[in-house]
Amino acid sequence: MTTYDDRASLTDLTTTVERVRRSVESVIEGKPEVVRLSLTVLLAEGHLLIEDVPGVGKTMLAKALARSVDCSVRRIQFTPDLLPSDITGVSIYDQQRRDFEFKPGAIFAQIVIGDEINRASPKTQSALLESMEERQVTIDGHSYELPDPFMVVATQNPVEMEGTYPLPEAQRDRFMARVSIGYPSAEAELKMLDVHGGVSPLDDLQPVAHAHDIVKLIDAVRAVHVAEAVRAYAVQLVAATRSHPDLRLGASPRATLHLLRAAKASAALAGRDYCLPDDVQALAVAVLAHRLLPTAQAQLNRRSAEQVVLEILQHTPVPTAAGGAASMPPYQAGPAYGGPQQPGVRRP
């Protein structure tokens, strides 16, 4: 494998990601922070859960990201009658060879789009658990490696819950981040009418990066330096969710790892080879909130998991360059990172 010095790797990263960003934003109007978060999850080797009301472009975002990168793409429409073997694959007996032959399922792609993931049964949803965590599929005692890079982009609606199955906590914990697109501004919606009024811009979207380029960029993100104080800060944020009185289930150690990986990717996107507390703060709500379960009393008080994470950010001391700690963090997460939602898209 070709070796790059840190500066060359970051230069390649920012140049390639800028091309992908422009490509995706040519389809998704007025949501630059949502696109940036999607690219952050891709470079951090994570999986993305897009949750919002119908018609705001959840599937369009997933498709635009997939088509902008020259990777193999498979789309799975989750329905109540979908079987686990439809996702993972199945062994079929070949009469001529007198042996079983494995037929790969839809999960064997570099970017897998799971549309309306909560409409499939928990039995079918569990088919994703091994692939999302271990990047492999085990069928009849044989393990099959998934391609590299590998990313699952799933969508679900927080409304129309009749006939749906909530994602199990083990499934939600495997998604690195959750993003809500929200309604576009009036200006962006007017522009959307011009762009999407005739033909879909997805039809003309061409790949602007190759799969091997993404693999190299992922290696560059891994090399981003994280100081001991920043790692301790991430651990403190996650630990605070486990003892908060408004939560009956806090974030897992996997959440700490995902938070750190996402922060490293965010730093690399900013052109830095080192991670800052700001990177951790900017992604804390998107990475942590969907893993948390509020208590019954908190739900009665209409306290959301996002509000709890923002409160934890406000009360957790932030490490400073001098080695001390600031009493209040300077950053608050915006809507694209899971902060306060726009009117009309509040989750029930």
Side-chain angles (χ1 to χ4, degrees):
M1 180 179 293
T2 305
T3 302
Y4 297 89
D5 57 76
D6 292 341
R7 185 177 299 276
S9 296
L10 288 177
T11 301
D12 293 342
L13 187 148
T14 53
T15 302
T16 303
V17 170
E18 180 62 22
R19 294 200 305 268
V20 178
R21 183 192 63 80
R22 288 198 300 265
S23 177
V24 177
E25 288 185 358
S26 67
V27 177
I28 305 299
E29 303 289 344
K31 297 295 179 179
E33 290 188 338
V34 174
V35 175
R36 177 184 170 86
L37 179 59
S38 303
L39 295 174
T40 299
V41 174
L42 173 63
L43 297 183
E45 302 178 90
H47 308 288
L48 183 65
L49 178 62
I50 308 174
E51 181 180 291
D52 217 321
V53 295
V56 295
K58 299 187 299 296
T59 307
M60 185 75 72
L61 172 62
K63 285 184 175 181
L65 179 63
R67 294 192 182 185
S68 298
V69 182
D70 188 17
C71 294
S72 57
V73 181
R74 297 290 294 272
R75 182 178 183 271
I76 306 173
Q77 181 64 56
F78 281 79
T79 56
D81 60 346
L82 189 71
L83 298 175
S85 58
D86 296 330
I87 298 176
T88 59
V90 64
S91 294
I92 300 177
Y93 185 74
D94 190 335
Q95 293 184 353
Q96 294 181 348
R97 296 173 51 196
R98 295 179 180 274
D99 195 6
F100 285 91
E101 181 182 1
F102 177 65
K103 299 292 185 181
I107 197 66
F108 283 86
Q110 291 168 312
I111 297 182
V112 179
I113 303 174
D115 199 17
E116 299 285 352
I117 188 174
N118 59 332
R119 296 198 179 277
S121 66
K123 177 182 178 180
T124 302
Q125 292 179 21
S126 64
L128 292 171
L129 295 179
E130 181 185 13
S131 59
M132 293 177 66
E133 178 64 19
E134 303 177 32
R135 299 177 185 271
Q136 69 176 21
V137 173
T138 302
I139 303 293
D140 296 334
H142 297 280
S143 295
Y144 303 89
E145 297 291 332
L146 294 174
D148 198 24
F150 175 70
M151 180 183 185
V152 174
V153 182
T155 70
Q156 70 171 0
N157 295 328
V159 296
E160 296 181 345
M161 301 303 292
E162 294 81 3
T164 63
Y165 305 87
L167 293 184
E169 295 309 314
Q171 180 78 56
R172 299 176 73 89
D173 196 45
R174 281 165 168 77
F175 284 102
M176 176 172 285
R178 179 183 64 184
V179 62
S180 296
I181 297 179
Y183 293 132
S185 63
E187 180 181 356
E189 196 162 4
L190 282 172
K191 186 177 180 180
M192 180 197 69
L193 295 178
D194 294 333
V195 175
H196 297 253
V199 296
S200 173
L202 278 174
D203 298 337
D204 299 326
L205 207 60
Q206 298 296 325
V208 296
H210 298 284
H212 62 81
D213 295 329
I214 301 300
V215 173
K216 292 178 180 178
L217 299 185
I218 290 173
D219 290 337
V221 169
R222 291 173 180 170
V224 172
H225 173 71
V226 183
E228 180 66 28
V230 177
R231 292 199 297 268
Y233 177 59
V235 171
Q236 290 174 6
L237 289 176
V238 175
T241 65
R242 301 167 188 165
S243 58
H244 198 282
D246 287 337
L247 299 176
R248 59 187 175 93
L249 178 65
S252 66
R254 183 192 287 122
T256 311
L257 182 60
H258 283 180
L259 180 58
L260 194 63
R261 286 179 178 175
K264 292 170 68 173
S266 178
L269 288 176
R272 288 183 275 106
D273 59 356
Y274 57 91
C275 192
L276 295 175
D278 289 359
D279 299 314
V280 177
Q281 292 174 356
L283 293 160
V285 177
V287 174
L288 300 180
H290 66 284
R291 310 169 193 262
L292 309 178
L293 292 181
T295 62
Q297 185 61 43
Q299 291 176 337
L300 288 175
N301 294 334
R302 305 184 69 84
R303 289 268 290 169
S304 66
E306 290 88 349
Q307 292 173 331
V308 173
V309 176
L310 288 174
E311 179 181 297
I312 291 174
L313 285 172
Q314 290 289 339
H315 291 87
T316 303
V318 182
T320 63
S327 58
M328 298 289 283
Y331 182 90
Q332 287 193 14
Y337 293 98
Q341 299 296 308
Q342 299 183 22
V345 295
R346 170 181 284 180
R347 302 183 187 87

